[in-house]
Amino acid sequence: MGVVLEVEGLSFRYDKKQDRSNISDVSFQLREGEWTALIGHNGSGKSTLAHLLVGLLQPDAGQLKINGTVLRKESVSWDIGIVFQNPENQFIGTTVEDDVAFGLENINMPYKQMRERVDKALEDVGMTEYRMADPSQLSGGQKQRVAIAGMLALQPKVLILDEAFVMLDPRSRKELMDTIRKLTNKGMTILSITHDMEEAAHADKVMVIKQGKVAKIESPSQLFFTDSSLEKPFAEKLRNALKNRKCNVPEKYMTEAEMVLWICKSN
Ligand SMILES: Nc1ncnc2c1ncn2[C@@H]1O[C@H](COP(=O)(O)OP(=O)(O)OP(=O)(O)O)[C@@H](O)[C@H]1O
Ligand SMILES: [Mg+2]
């Protein structure tokens, strides 16, 4: 898998009079078709980093490369899309389908192709039946799904989700995580910012950010097995609880599916 996004020595501070940076010398790479979860405490700099990646903020130092080409300052790249946590202020269209089509109209896409993209994106987020609805009349989670569809329709190389699943009910969240996995299988690169360790456990890699610095980039299995300071996904919590009860559980990280298999076999 080739590197799509390369982040080199990115630093940023909101208050230029302050000494301490909000993002400090951050470097990492995102590969094609890879899903990276970005986790860290409140105020650790996740959203600030996301804003830097999409050009909503300009770094004080460092640079971004997309497919090996340095992204020029002040230029906005259509290759990187973002969906925010709060969908309220992300709407422009008067109907759901207008809204999803908005970004495509802006790049003057031919009607037929636009139609196909909008249909597919609405299907991906399970909102086809609401296509003629007024976005302002939707529930929070439905609005969020439409906002995600609007970004999917643009087919960015890299899609950043900044706590974009927070408003969703558990089933929709699971469905959208499956959709995300399908998209990565087709080559889309995902960076999902989350406080949900189940979501992080679904990613290929987890990047931990602490006080504006990258503390770790590891696979979920490595990270959740070794880092005792983190809240663990359910299966790993269960494994630890069984271990504390002197139950003979495997001495390795287990996904939920692996845990289910193990429990069935041991009975
Ligand atoms: N617009 C702003 N002006 C000044 N400081 C800001 C601004 N936005 C964020 N900060 C500061 O930058 C730091 C990082 O904030 P950021 O929003 O990136 O954190 P986060 O990791 O996304 O947190 P959360 O998990 O709560 O969303 C915090 O110390 C915050 O107070
Ligand atoms: Mg944030």
Side-chain angles (χ1 to χ4, degrees), residues 17 46 49 52 63 72 74 85 111 113 116 130 161 165 179 210 222 235 240 243:
K17 289 180 285 241
K46 303 179 297 297
L49 178 59
L52 288 164
Q63 63 179 16
R72 279 183 305 114
E74 322 286 338
Q85 175 177 4
Y111 182 79
Q113 196 184 353
E116 284 167 10
Y130 292 93
L161 300 163
F165 294 167
T179 302
K210 274 187 189 155
Q222 198 176 356
N240 284 308
K243 191 173 141 192

Side-chain angles (χ1 to χ4, degrees), residues 203-216:
D204 300 307
K205 278 188 190 164
V206 185
M207 176 155 77
V208 185
I209 182 166
K210 274 187 189 155
Q211 295 179 345
K213 291 194 171 79
V214 175
K216 277 181 185 172

Side-chain angles (χ1 to χ4, degrees), residues 37-39 194-208 216 218-237 239-240 251-255:
L38 175 56
I39 64 172
T194 185
H195 291 292
D196 176 2
M197 294 306 139
E198 301 302 329
E199 190 185 319
H202 276 77
D204 300 307
K205 278 188 190 164
V206 185
M207 176 155 77
V208 185
K216 277 181 185 172
E218 289 177 351
S219 66
S221 57
Q222 198 176 356
L223 181 73
F224 292 121
F225 185 67
T226 54
D227 194 330
S228 55
S229 70
L230 289 176
E231 174 76 15
K232 312 225 174 207
F234 170 72
E236 193 53 16
K237 272 190 204 159
R239 197 184 67 82
N240 284 308
E251 200 36 58
K252 67 171 187 73
Y253 172 86
M254 288 160 93
T255 62

Side-chain angles (χ1 to χ4, degrees), residues 18-87:
Q18 288 273 329
D19 278 346
R20 208 172 67 80
S21 290
N22 300 96
I23 290 294
S24 179
D25 197 19
V26 164
S27 300
F28 62 93
Q29 296 180 340
L30 299 182
R31 291 178 178 277
E32 190 182 346
E34 200 171 52
W35 178 353
T36 304
L38 175 56
I39 64 172
H41 293 304
N42 293 132
S44 56
K46 303 179 297 297
S47 296
T48 305
L49 178 59
H51 283 70
L52 288 164
L53 298 185
V54 292
L56 288 170
L57 291 173
Q58 295 302 319
D60 300 326
Q63 63 179 16
L64 303 177
K65 281 187 195 161
I66 296 208
N67 288 336
T69 307
V70 175
L71 204 64
R72 279 183 305 114
K73 246 190 173 178
E74 322 286 338
S75 72
V76 175
S77 168
W78 291 107
D79 291 333
I80 314 183
I82 188 163
V83 182
F84 299 104
Q85 175 177 4
N86 181 358

